[in-house]
Every structure is written in C-alpha cells, then in structure tokens.
Amino acid sequence: MPRRPEIRLPWNSLGLVAVLALLVLLFSLQSDYFFSAVTFRTLANQIPTLTVIAVGMTYVLLVAGIDLSVGSVMALCAALMGVLMVDAGWPLPAALLASLAAGLACGLANGAISAHWRIPSFVVTLGMLEIARGGAYLVTGSQTRYLGGAVGAIGDPLPGLGLSPALLVALAVVAVAQFLLLRTVFGRYLVAIGTNEEAARLSGINTGRWKALVFAIAGLLAALGGVFQLGYLQSADPNAGIGLELSAIAAVVIGGTSLSGGRGSVVNSFLGVLIIAVMQTGLAQLGVSEPGKRIITGAVIIVAVLIDQYREPLAARFARR
C-alpha cells in the first residue's frame, strides 16, 4: 500500500514555520518598515497567483513530472480574459470561464501527450511554454489590455478585512488540495505513481490517465492564477508570468516536495510560497538589487535541495528513537 505523503515527517512543517518566523524577525530588525500591518497585507494580497500555481506544481512533482509552461499558460489565460472583456465586451463570468477552460485545455494537452507517447514532461511543457507565450502575444497583438475596476472585485481587499477575495480562494484551494492528497484514493495514487510508476501500473492503476489529470489540474490552476493577477494588476500583459514557473518550483522544493516524486505536501508548498514572498519583500525593503535578490533566492533553493537529501534519513533516525 503506498505511503501517505508527509505523515512520517511531522516536524517538516514546523521547521518551515520556524524558518519563516526567523526571516520575519531578521527583516524586522533590519528594516523599520517591514514589521507592519501594511507590509503584511500587501504581501498577503500579492501571493494568490503563486500559491495556486504552486499547488498544481506540487501535484505534478508528486508524480515525478515537471511543468515549465505554467507561467506562459497563466499569461495566455489572463490575456484571453482581458481581450474578451475589453475587445469583445464579454461579461466577467463568461470571460472567466473561457479563461479557465483555456488553462484546462493546455494542461490536458501537456498530460495527454506526455502520458500517451511517453515523452518526458520537461520536453512537452517546454514546448507548451513557447506555444502559450506566442498565443498570449497573438491574442493581444502584443499590447496590454487595461480593465480597471471591471475586475477590481477579484483583487481589491475586502473592507474591514484587508484581504482580497483572491487570497481567500487561494487558501481554500490549498485546504482542498491537501485534503485530496492525504485523505483520498486520488492522493494515494499520485504518491504510488511518483514512487514507482511501473509498480503502480502493474497493480492496476491507469498511470497515464492519472498523470494527464494532474497536468490538467496544473493548467486549470495556472489559469486561476492568471485571473488573480488580472484582478490584482487590473491589466492583461502578454509578458506576465515570465519565470513564474521557476518561482513555483522553488516554493515547492523549499516546502520539501521531492523532485524525484512520491513525497510532498500542499501545505508545505504554501509555506514555501510565504518564505519566498517574505524573502523577496524583505530584500526589496533593504534595497537589494534585482540581481542580488536572484542570487540569494537561487542559493536558498540549492540549500533546500541539499537539506532534502538528508531529510529522510534524519526523519527515520528520529522515528526509531
């Protein structure tokens, strides 16, 4: 019977929370403006897009795949929604559904091609990265569409709460995805496929179908991330999301999801998103340049991967004691 992800690693989440608290303390001591309600509200309302994309990436990495197209798919779906509302005069609900359908189609294409022809997902999604980015330029004519208050209800903070509807939906997505991963047959199948795909296939699991479903979910969540970004920026930019797939992978890896598949946690991926967001915000307030932020973020990713190599042996030793 495949093991449940993260059940044997109860200290992993606490370790991430400790790292997050340490970063908040460090930046609070270095900057007079970091530890404030304004900073935390701004940070919270900036993370919904990366949060939902990281959820999809967690599922993809669990089955030992990778999706390099999520940033471009997000841009394509946001661009499509913007053009439908501005140029075609579609109402918000109809344009939103069309955007989500486009993301679902891109993800399903990734999964179906990768699973049916057994092409590495790295290659397939690299191709989709270019296709979706080109589609975003084609749909918009390489021009940004400004929507203004037409999508403000998605990204504007709610009165009295200070948090946007996009953040509340993103948190709900994290909760549902974690429940599916830990408490359903779907989650166990993902872990089984990522642990040993051939053994899962011989045990009767239709591995191709489940992998296609996982990529479809990742595409759908990338589209949802595009909707969130559209609400936050109130504009559809065909250049949006460049490099976002790397940030999503970084958050998921920092959260402890194995790059080789079979182990991961959606909640821990969300903590990884928070760590990246706090780190980038803190470094920006300290005046660190963009190249400097990239160097530091890259170093943190490498350290997280190195720690991941020793997490299992240390956890097993702790469990024996």
Side-chain angles (χ1 to χ4, degrees):
M1 201 69 173
R3 56 187 173 88
R4 291 182 179 179
E6 295 301 321
I7 291 296
R8 298 192 298 110
L9 300 174
W11 297 105
N12 193 23
S13 297
L14 295 179
L16 292 170
V17 171
V19 170
L20 184 61
L22 184 62
L23 285 174
V24 171
L25 177 62
L26 177 64
F27 288 126
S28 298
L29 293 175
Q30 296 296 319
S31 172
D32 295 333
Y33 306 102
F34 184 83
F35 197 82
S36 66
V38 173
T39 296
F40 292 143
R41 278 198 301 267
T42 302
L43 190 150
N45 292 323
Q46 287 177 341
I47 64 171
T49 294
L50 183 57
T51 296
V52 294
I53 290 178
V55 170
M57 190 66 73
T58 302
Y59 278 0
V60 170
L61 290 183
L62 268 171
V63 297
I66 196 166
D67 192 343
L68 300 179
S69 68
V70 288
S72 295
V73 170
M74 184 215 74
L76 171 62
C77 296
L80 177 63
M81 183 173 170
V83 168
L84 289 176
M85 293 183 66
V86 174
D87 297 358
W90 283 32
L92 175 61
L96 190 151
L97 289 176
S99 175
L100 295 180
L104 181 64
C106 291
L108 190 57
N110 282 334
I113 293 172
S114 178
H116 183 74
W117 282 284
R118 297 186 178 276
I119 302 174
S121 57
F122 176 90
V123 176
V124 177
T125 59
L126 184 62
M128 183 59 73
L129 179 152
E130 293 295 332
I131 293 171
R133 184 64 63 182
Y137 290 134
L138 186 63
V139 165
T140 61
S142 301
Q143 299 294 320
T144 301
R145 294 298 192 279
Y146 298 96
L147 289 88
V151 292
I154 299 173
D156 290 343
L158 296 171
L161 185 60
L163 302 177
S164 67
L167 176 64
L168 301 181
V169 173
L171 293 177
V173 169
V174 170
V176 171
Q178 181 73 357
F179 174 81
L180 292 175
L181 184 58
L182 291 181
R183 303 299 179 189
T184 67
V185 173
F186 167 76
R188 296 187 182 186
Y189 279 1
L190 298 194
V191 174
I193 293 170
T195 302
N196 190 324
E197 183 175 351
E198 183 62 19
R201 187 184 65 81
L202 293 175
S203 68
I205 299 175
N206 189 330
T207 57
R209 179 182 301 171
W210 289 102
K211 289 178 73 174
L213 176 60
V214 164
F215 279 95
I217 292 173
L220 179 64
L221 292 177
L224 183 60
V227 172
F228 290 164
Q229 187 180 64
L230 200 64
Y232 181 72
L233 299 178
Q234 300 186 2
S235 64
D237 182 0
N239 293 304
I242 294 178
L244 188 62
E245 60 279 348
L246 301 181
S247 296
I249 294 171
V252 174
V253 170
I254 289 173
T257 297
S258 175
L259 289 170
S260 58
R263 175 168 53 80
S265 164
V266 175
V267 169
N268 286 355
S269 294
F270 175 63
L271 292 174
V273 170
L274 291 179
I275 288 173
I276 287 180
V278 166
M279 187 166 57
Q280 291 181 344
T281 300
L283 291 173
Q285 289 194 4
L286 292 178
V288 178
S289 64
E290 185 63 27
K293 288 192 292 184
R294 287 180 175 271
I295 291 172
I296 294 173
T297 302
V300 170
I301 295 171
I302 293 174
V303 170
V305 173
L306 291 175
I307 292 174
D308 182 67
Q309 299 299 313
Y310 297 97
R311 182 182 286 116
E312 283 284 346
L314 290 176
R317 183 180 302 177
F318 179 82
R320 287 196 299 269
R321 290 182 179 178

